[in-house]
Amino acid sequence: MERTWKADYEKFARTARENVAATLDNMDYPALERAAELILAAKAAGKRLHISGIGKPAHLAGYAASLFSSTGTPAYFLHGTEAVHGSCGQLVPGDVVIFISNSGETAEMKATVSAVKNNGCAVIGVSGNASSWLAQQSEAHLLAHADAEGGPLDRAPRASILAETLVLQALSVLLQSEAKVTPQQYVKWHPGGSLGHLRENER
C-alpha cells in the first residue's frame, strides 16, 4: 500500500496556515472587548472565571485556564461533563464561564451550559458558528471558525483547535494589559524554569 504521508501533511499544513491567517485577519475585536468587560466586572465584584469544554476543547480549556491565571486573571478549569454531576458546586452566582465548542450544538454541551446558567453564571461562548445554540445562549460570543480541519479524514479537531486557541490567547492579551502585570510579578508567579528570571532590561 502506497503511503500518503507527504500529501496528508501538505494538506494539513495548507489548511492550518490558511486558517491561522483567516482567524487573525477576521477576529471580532469588539466581541473580545465585550468578553473582557464581562470578566473584569465579575473580577471587580469578587467573582471568578471558569473555562470549560468537552472532548478536545476540554484540553484547551485546561491550557487557557492556566494561561489566564499566569497572566493576571485567575481562572479555573470546569470539567465539561462532571459539571452536571456536582462540579457546578465550584460556581457561585455572578461567576463567568467560558465554554468552548466547535459546533456549539452538542447535547452534552447544551446540558452543561444550561446548568451553568441555572447556577447564575454568565457564559462566554467560543465556537465556529455565530448562529449556534451556544452563541445564542452567550452574553458574549467569540467566533473561532475553521472551514476544514486538515488531515486524512478532515474530521479530527486540528484547525478548529488552532482557531479557538488564538481567540482565547487574544482575550488573554486584553486581560493581561488591563492587569498591568509587571516583570517582577510575572517572575514571582513563575519561580521555575527560564520564565522565572528577570531579563537584563527588566532588572
Side-chain angles (χ1 to χ4, degrees):
M1 181 178 178
E2 184 180 357
R3 286 177 169 168
T4 60
W5 289 359
K6 185 70 179 299
D8 286 336
Y9 162 74
E10 289 175 345
K11 175 184 176 182
F12 160 73
R14 181 174 60 254
T15 301
R17 188 180 301 112
E18 292 172 353
N19 183 252
V20 166
T23 299
L24 293 173
D25 290 343
N26 298 306
M27 198 170 293
D28 187 345
Y29 182 76
L32 287 173
E33 286 189 321
R34 287 194 296 274
E37 293 291 356
L38 275 172
I39 294 167
L40 291 170
K43 186 178 178 183
K47 307 302 181 179
R48 300 171 300 170
L49 173 65
H50 312 260
I51 309 180
S52 187
I54 293 172
K56 304 302 183 292
H59 298 284
L60 175 55
Y63 158 72
S66 177
L67 173 65
F68 281 52
S69 295
S70 73
T71 53
T73 304
Y76 305 87
F77 173 70
L78 174 65
H79 196 287
T81 53
E82 289 297 321
V84 297
H85 296 282
S87 288
C88 274
Q90 78 182 59
L91 307 174
V92 297
D95 283 357
V96 174
V97 177
I98 297 175
F99 205 97
I100 312 162
S101 169
N102 183 37
S103 71
E105 297 289 349
T106 62
E108 301 98 323
M109 177 274 303
K110 290 181 179 181
T112 299
V113 170
S114 295
V116 164
K117 291 174 72 73
N118 286 339
N119 278 275
C121 299
V123 172
I124 296 171
V126 178
S127 80
N129 182 354
S131 300
S132 66
W133 183 92
L134 176 59
Q136 294 170 9
Q137 296 295 314
S138 300
E139 280 73 15
H141 179 257
L142 304 177
L143 183 64
H145 180 71
D147 289 325
E149 293 288 3
L153 297 178
D154 203 28
R155 288 176 178 266
R158 291 188 173 95
S160 61
I161 293 292
L162 287 174
E164 292 156 3
T165 300
L166 288 170
V167 166
L168 289 166
Q169 288 174 335
L171 178 58
S172 78
V173 169
L174 270 62
L175 294 170
Q176 182 177 348
S177 178
E178 183 71 17
K180 295 180 170 50
V181 179
T182 65
Q184 291 75 20
Q185 182 62 70
Y186 190 81
V187 166
K188 187 176 180 180
W189 291 336
H190 297 76
S194 61
L195 293 179
H197 302 280
L198 287 172
R199 298 167 183 166
E200 284 298 327
N201 65 336
E202 296 171 339
R203 297 180 190 280

